[in-house]
Amino acid sequence: MISRCPQLLRTLPAILHARASHWNTPFEAKPRGRDIYIVPKKTVPTHTVIWMHGLGDSAMGFLDFFDREDSLVPKSTKVVLLTAPEVPVSINNGMIMNSWFDQEIDNEGAFVAKKEDVVKSYKRVVKVIEEEASEYKQDYKKIVVGGFSQGCAMALYTGFTFEKTLGGVCGLSGFLFNFVELDEKKKEMPIFLYHGKMDDMVLYEPAMRNFSKLKEKGFNVEIHSEDYLGHGISDKEDHEVRKFFKKILICSFTLSINPYLEQKKKKKKKKK
């Protein structure tokens, strides 16, 4: 991931403009404060993916994953890349950096966070969710949240805490807060999790212990792991994430705009 750079964020509009003149992609990346909005050039968006980066990173760190010809998302998808606030981080000796919450490590090597910090960032994500849902007549299943590392933890918290059921959650190299309330009404919400077995930042075993709770309780979750992957994103992972987004963003859109397909199926069954 690309590390946070204050100079980079101050010149974000100029960087995106220069990038667009050299890269021909199906999307247009627009700055909004410290965030980046990636919108389809030739079609009206059918869904929005809200993505959160990891500790010390920024929205720029994931621009190349979404604003490219073979984007992780279908070409009809809008992507909102959020940048976390600048806060002191305990595990980095109080250094001020982009972080969704202050972060510490427990005796088992698992990351812990203060709930009040998480709730503060969550409220900001909710504001973006509401703004995007207004573009889809308050259809919250058109909104997907995702993220990497800290961003994964925030995405899972958002998916389970938000009062409406969202279209899905995608979490990479992250963890589940121990204070998340697993809402039984969200059992059908698609959840995708991917973790490297050699991750030395967010340790694999503690993360898997928490993720396994989701399977045990019957949530619609698919958990992937990769033997030699550390705290990063591999080509294999890139491929699996793209498959997940295609499944939940294209298939759900096809069903939503073609309700008569179900009626046709029922008529065929009656004829038989």
Side-chain angles (χ1 to χ4, degrees), residues 72-74 240-254:
L72 292 181
V73 296
E240 293 298 331
V241 172
R242 190 180 290 107
K243 277 173 55 180
F244 173 72
F245 278 136
K246 182 177 180 181
K247 178 173 68 176
I248 67 169
L249 299 178
I250 290 183
C251 293
S252 65
F253 176 61
T254 302

Side-chain angles (χ1 to χ4, degrees), residues 162-267:
F162 189 64
E163 61 179 351
K164 305 289 185 180
T165 300
L166 299 176
V169 176
C170 179
L172 314 179
S173 300
F175 51 97
L176 181 70
F177 296 123
N178 58 13
F179 49 77
V180 172
E181 295 182 18
L182 301 180
D183 187 347
E184 296 285 320
K185 299 192 294 292
K186 308 290 180 68
K187 281 195 171 180
E188 297 303 313
M189 181 176 65
I191 302 171
F192 176 96
L193 300 169
Y194 203 106
H195 211 101
K197 291 185 178 180
M198 295 186 69
D199 194 326
D200 59 352
M201 295 291 290
V202 181
L203 301 182
Y204 177 75
E205 292 298 336
M208 286 302 111
R209 280 198 296 273
N210 277 334
F211 291 162
S212 64
K213 296 175 185 176
L214 302 179
K215 271 191 176 289
E216 291 168 5
K217 292 182 179 292
F219 286 94
N220 181 18
V221 59
E222 52 178 290
I223 303 174
H224 300 258
S225 60
E226 190 171 330
D227 287 339
Y228 302 105
L229 177 65
H231 197 62
I233 298 176
S234 67
D235 290 341
K236 179 183 176 184
E237 183 175 4
D238 188 288
H239 176 71
E240 293 298 331
V241 172
R242 190 180 290 107
K243 277 173 55 180
F244 173 72
F245 278 136
K246 182 177 180 181
K247 178 173 68 176
I248 67 169
L249 299 178
I250 290 183
C251 293
S252 65
F253 176 61
T254 302
L255 290 173
S256 67
I257 63 173
N258 291 296
Y260 65 87
L261 289 177
E262 291 301 317
Q263 294 177 355
K264 276 190 172 184
K265 288 179 183 178
K266 289 178 182 179
K267 286 180 180 179

